[in-house]
Amino acid sequence: MLQKMGDGFRDFGKVYQDYCDSMNRLSLGIMELLGISLGVGKDHFKDFFQGNDSIMRLNYYPICQKPELTLGTGPHCDPTSLTILHQDDVGGLQVFVDNQWRSITPNAQAFVVNIGDTFMALSNGKYKSCLHRAVVNSETPRKSLAFFLCPDKQKLVVPPKELINKESPRMYPDFTWETFLEFTQKHYRSDEKTLDAFTNWIQQKTNC
């Protein structure tokens, strides 16, 4: 950060790094719970995400004079594994549940946690990515802080063998986070079908 923004942001950079470290610890704790819930033990996914290449992003949504004509962020599932979101007191996040968009009321004492595409692949589809969007308004700007848990870029995303059987065959091919990230940055804008589109892309490259 100092290389990009200068020494005046040194204190801010420390706060930012401390927050990232805290979110990393929290996300690994969540991975323990997800491992237990899937019957593969608390350490399986926690160990997989040790030494991760996670991402932190600060979002700013300015006032929009015609909010009915635009979205702050269009409908999509995060390509990452897990998202831990802190909102300000301005609403805007919506998730798609029971075939309708539902607003998530901001709560300063809580985080919003979403499953992303990479963990859907790691769980062999047992956990589903969360389809969501952000809407804007004409009165107040909105800010949010998102931590995206991502595996090491070179680590192979493969579901544990306990989640694969005749009733639950492999749903997605092996891939690295680096390859999936490149796909979403250069070839495909993330939406609700990103993982399916990526699977087709991988299979086409393999068959060439």
Side-chain angles (χ1 to χ4, degrees), residues 1-205:
M1 176 172 289
L2 294 180
Q3 293 177 347
K4 298 292 185 180
M5 304 182 71
D7 195 66
F9 284 85
R10 182 179 297 276
D11 291 341
F12 174 76
K14 183 179 185 308
V15 172
Y16 190 83
Q17 185 61 57
D18 289 347
Y19 188 86
C20 288
D21 292 342
S22 295
M23 291 300 99
N24 186 63
R25 289 192 296 271
L26 175 59
S27 65
L28 294 180
I30 293 172
M31 282 298 149
E32 286 188 340
L33 298 177
L34 292 174
I36 293 170
S37 74
L38 290 169
V40 299
K42 69 175 185 178
D43 293 329
H44 181 89
F45 294 118
K46 179 181 179 181
D47 291 346
F48 180 83
F49 284 100
Q50 293 286 356
N52 53 71
D53 282 316
S54 295
I55 302 167
M56 192 71 156
R57 189 174 71 205
L58 291 84
N59 301 311
Y60 177 75
Y61 303 93
I63 294 171
C64 181
Q65 297 303 317
K66 295 182 178 181
E68 69 280 1
L69 299 180
T70 188
L71 291 169
T73 306
H76 68 285
C77 297
D78 293 332
T80 52
S81 300
L82 191 76
T83 302
I84 303 177
L85 180 74
H86 184 269
Q87 304 186 82
D88 60 12
D89 58 358
V90 179
L93 176 65
Q94 295 183 338
V95 298
F96 195 68
V97 180
D98 297 330
N99 293 316
Q100 61 180 306
W101 288 104
R102 298 177 182 269
S103 296
I104 303 300
T105 303
N107 182 346
Q109 302 303 314
F111 294 109
V112 177
V113 180
N114 289 341
I115 296 294
D117 284 338
T118 298
F119 191 80
M120 183 162 72
L122 274 173
S123 69
N124 201 36
K126 298 294 189 297
Y127 275 94
K128 307 299 182 184
S129 299
C130 176
L131 180 61
H132 59 285
R133 67 183 185 182
V135 298
V136 293
N137 66 82
S138 60
E139 298 179 357
T140 310
R142 174 178 178 261
K143 297 182 289 293
S144 66
L145 187 58
F147 177 85
F148 301 97
L149 178 67
C150 310
D152 179 275
K153 287 184 178 180
Q154 299 302 323
K155 191 166 286 188
L156 205 59
V157 175
V158 183
K161 62 181 184 300
E162 293 91 337
L163 303 182
I164 305 169
N165 51 52
K166 291 182 179 180
E167 291 73 32
S168 301
R170 280 291 300 272
M171 294 186 65
Y172 308 104
D174 297 352
F175 62 90
T176 63
W177 166 238
E178 183 175 43
T179 302
F180 194 23
L181 178 62
E182 178 187 0
F183 177 74
T184 61
Q185 297 295 311
K186 296 182 179 180
H187 303 285
Y188 193 90
R189 182 178 176 83
S190 295
D191 59 17
E192 69 274 19
K193 297 181 179 179
T194 305
L195 194 51
D196 290 335
F198 175 68
T199 297
N200 293 334
W201 183 71
I202 286 288
Q203 292 173 341
Q204 290 173 3
K205 290 186 64 176

